[in-house]
Amino acid sequence: MKVIIIEDEKPSARRLQRMLEKQVLEVETMLHSVEEAINWFQNNAHPELIFLDIQLSDGLSFEIFETVDIKSSIIFTTAYDEYALQAFKLNSIDYLLKPIDEEELEQAITKFQSNFDYKSPISLDFEDIKKLLVNPIEREYKKRFSVKVGQHLKLINVNDIECVFSQNKGTYLHTVDGRNYLIDDTLEELESQLEPNQFYRVNRTFYVNVHAISDMVSYTNSRLQIKLNNYNEQDIIVARERVKDFKSWLA
């Protein structure tokens, strides 16, 4: 099986290559830009599987598919989980958040190997996915949540939510009045529902509302600790690999 990596950060590409070798998968080549990838695909047989970074140094990787008709299956890789990753989940083999976890990588590969049909490669609608990426303002985001309180339903406006967090396999809204409400959605499903200018996923457990942040403090290992107006049940730590993007989001 032929596998290639398209990733503009060479250390990340080499790390992924080593992880794939542990899975007994040989990487045929590593490409680092839209232009390089287009040239390669125009002159080489296409692989069965591509590990594709969304944001490359010279543009979104979807620009590759505007020039070349690629039939390969794809596992997306990205550090920017505010993108509409639910769309990728519905249209592709899988997606992986950076830094890539070995167990999640193994699960994605297993899923690919069990579902892939060499005669009928998966067809992706890149145009629809690209629209979700480059035109987020045109999308409609959730304005309120309906939650069950006893035998009653309660409507919660998103502006009244300080954070959203996962705990014990459940997802909870924490509101400005200090209460937690269980919802049916997973954090992954909320990727495409929450306004990305208002909510940011600081780690695998928490989304925070920018309007609820009361303080930010330097934390160990180049991380940040977020303090909210009311929520104080757990420490909210911005993952190290997301600190730079988090600061950009705040600007």
Side-chain angles (χ1 to χ4, degrees), residues 107-234:
Q107 291 172 353
I109 292 170
T110 299
K111 181 179 177 182
F112 164 76
Q113 291 173 331
S114 62
N115 293 340
F116 182 67
D117 181 351
Y118 283 83
K119 296 180 181 178
S120 304
I122 292 176
S123 176
L124 307 183
D125 192 337
F126 289 104
E127 281 305 310
D128 281 354
I129 297 175
K130 185 178 177 182
K131 288 175 185 176
L132 292 174
L133 284 177
V134 299
N135 295 315
I137 295 176
E138 297 178 6
R139 297 175 54 209
E140 286 292 326
Y141 295 101
K142 207 168 185 70
K143 300 290 192 302
R144 66 190 65 84
F145 284 85
S146 173
V147 299
K148 188 174 182 181
V149 181
Q151 298 300 314
H152 302 271
L153 289 178
K154 179 181 177 68
L155 292 178
I156 297 177
N157 191 295
V158 292
N159 293 325
D160 294 328
I161 298 170
E162 283 201 336
C163 63
V164 187
F165 63 94
S166 61
Q167 188 176 56
N168 298 326
K169 298 185 179 180
T171 305
Y172 296 86
L173 309 176
H174 184 86
T175 56
V176 294
D177 59 1
R179 298 189 62 181
N180 294 329
Y181 296 94
L182 179 67
I183 60 175
D184 294 330
D185 306 86
T186 65
L187 290 186
E188 285 69 29
E189 289 170 341
L190 292 175
E191 308 272 7
S192 59
Q193 298 180 40
L194 295 175
E195 165 60 62
N197 291 326
Q198 183 176 2
F199 289 89
Y200 185 89
R201 190 172 181 180
V202 296
N203 55 42
R204 293 185 182 276
T205 305
F206 276 92
Y207 274 100
V208 297
N209 184 342
V210 64
H211 303 301
I213 296 174
S214 62
D215 198 8
M216 292 171 280
V217 184
S218 296
Y219 202 71
T220 58
N221 295 325
S222 302
R223 295 177 293 172
L224 284 175
Q225 182 176 6
I226 304 299
K227 295 183 181 296
L228 303 180
N229 294 328
N230 295 290
Y231 181 87
N232 57 12
E233 298 172 20
Q234 303 178 58

Side-chain angles (χ1 to χ4, degrees), residues 1-111:
M1 184 174 69
K2 293 182 179 179
V3 177
I4 70 167
I5 295 171
I6 305 178
E7 162 68 69
D8 64 335
E9 297 179 358
K10 294 184 180 181
S12 296
R14 290 192 293 268
R15 177 176 181 270
L16 178 55
Q17 181 183 28
R18 292 192 296 270
M19 294 171 72
L20 289 170
E21 288 172 349
K22 289 183 181 179
Q23 301 292 329
V24 199
L25 288 177
E26 184 177 352
V27 177
E28 182 177 4
T29 190
M30 291 186 287
L31 307 170
H32 306 294
S33 68
V34 172
E35 182 179 5
E36 184 182 7
I38 289 173
N39 290 335
W40 189 89
F41 281 115
Q42 288 177 332
N43 294 283
N44 294 274
H46 296 185
E48 283 75 36
L49 179 61
I50 301 170
F51 286 87
L52 178 66
D53 188 12
I54 295 170
Q55 183 72 56
L56 300 175
S57 57
D58 56 345
L60 287 175
S61 55
F62 297 104
E63 295 174 23
I64 299 167
F65 306 96
E66 294 174 358
T67 303
V68 184
D69 183 18
I70 295 176
K71 301 299 185 183
S72 310
S73 291
I74 293 171
I75 295 177
F76 292 101
T77 64
T78 180
Y80 301 100
D81 58 328
E82 73 272 22
Y83 284 159
L85 295 183
Q86 188 62 23
F88 304 150
K89 196 74 173 179
L90 293 172
N91 287 276
S92 69
I93 291 294
D94 216 332
Y95 69 85
L96 298 169
L97 293 179
K98 298 179 184 177
I100 294 173
D101 178 81
E102 289 199 22
E103 183 177 345
E104 292 179 356
L105 174 63
E106 182 178 359
Q107 291 172 353
I109 292 170
T110 299
K111 181 179 177 182

